[in-house]
Amino acid sequence: MGLFSDVGRTVEKTKRAFTDNKRAEYVCLDCEESLDENYEYCPRCGEDSVEPAA
Ligand SMILES: [Zn+2]
């Protein structure tokens, strides 16, 4: 079972590092740009793929 807990820990660490680093409230699902506002259209790629960050 050691393998599974190792994978889980790595994922958790990566997720935390991402949120700590960016502090974005919203993210474009298309180009993964981090945004601090809920833009209707992504200012980077122009897609209407901006969603609240998890
Ligand atoms: Zn985008």
Side-chain angles (χ1 to χ4, degrees), residues 28 30-33 42 44-47:
C28 173
D30 232 282
C31 68
E32 299 186 341
E33 175 80 338
C42 172
R44 182 178 174 195
C45 71
E47 295 293 329

Side-chain angles (χ1 to χ4, degrees), residues 20-48:
D20 281 354
N21 197 23
K22 298 282 190 173
R23 292 193 180 279
E25 308 258 334
Y26 299 92
V27 62
C28 173
L29 300 183
D30 232 282
C31 68
E32 299 186 341
E33 175 80 338
S34 297
L35 304 164
D36 56 5
E37 285 182 43
N38 189 6
Y39 291 95
E40 190 167 354
Y41 295 96
C42 172
R44 182 178 174 195
C45 71
E47 295 293 329
D48 59 345

